[in-house]
């Protein structure tokens, strides 16, 4: 997915009422994005899942470093809550709600 496509999908998701969005696990969203990538991927079966694991691990590490060690104020508590939510989505514990047709 190009950055322009990602921006368009993100903007469409924000404009779509939450009740009309389709819940997905992060891994499902990532797999759909890889499958619909503009660059043709010619891999053996299971290769898409193999790509998602290192990407997910990288994203988890990147998100985790933004968690304040010691929350001191409302901003820190809010950021810590966001980090916990994002990590839950990356671990497929929580679903990501996206607009129908906007998975990629």
């Amino acid at each position: 997915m190009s950055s322009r496509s990602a921006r368009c999908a993100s903007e469409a998701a924000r404009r779509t009422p939450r009740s009309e969005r389709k819940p997905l696990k992060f891994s499902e969203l990532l797999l759909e994005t890889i499958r619909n990538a503009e660059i043709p991927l010619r891999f053996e079966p299971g290769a898409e899942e193999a790509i998602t694991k290192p990407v997910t691990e990288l994203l988890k590490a990147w998100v985790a470093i933004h968690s304040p060690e010691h929350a001191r104020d409302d901003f820190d508590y809010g950021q810590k809550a966001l980090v916990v939510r994002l990590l839950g989505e990356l671990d497929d514990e929580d679903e990501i709600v996206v607009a129908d047709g906007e998975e990629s």
Side-chain angles (χ1 to χ4, degrees):
M1 171 187 273
S2 70
S3 62
R4 182 169 185 248
S5 298
R7 275 195 313 275
C8 291
S10 176
E11 289 168 11
R14 274 187 254 124
R15 287 190 306 262
T16 304
R18 192 169 185 84
S19 61
E20 295 177 20
R21 296 180 188 171
K22 177 182 170 187
L24 292 173
K25 299 288 186 185
F26 174 78
S27 60
E28 296 168 334
L29 182 62
L30 184 57
L31 279 171
E32 278 300 311
T33 301
I34 290 168
R35 287 182 183 130
N36 295 322
E38 293 175 8
I39 301 169
L41 298 173
R42 297 191 177 123
F43 295 116
E44 297 296 320
E48 293 153 338
E49 289 81 4
I51 292 170
T52 63
K53 185 173 181 172
V55 171
T56 301
E57 293 303 314
L58 173 66
L59 288 171
K60 285 169 45 178
W62 177 66
V63 168
I65 64 171
H66 291 86
S67 182
E69 262 186 60
H70 305 290
R72 294 179 296 272
D73 55 25
D74 288 345
F75 180 83
D76 287 347
Y77 286 111
Q79 184 163 344
K80 195 169 191 92
L82 177 60
V83 166
V84 168
R85 180 177 177 171
L86 292 173
L87 290 173
E89 291 174 358
L90 290 167
D91 283 331
D92 285 342
E93 294 168 3
D94 301 314
E95 292 182 333
I96 301 169
V97 180
V98 297
D100 278 335
E102 297 297 334
E103 297 91 46
S104 54

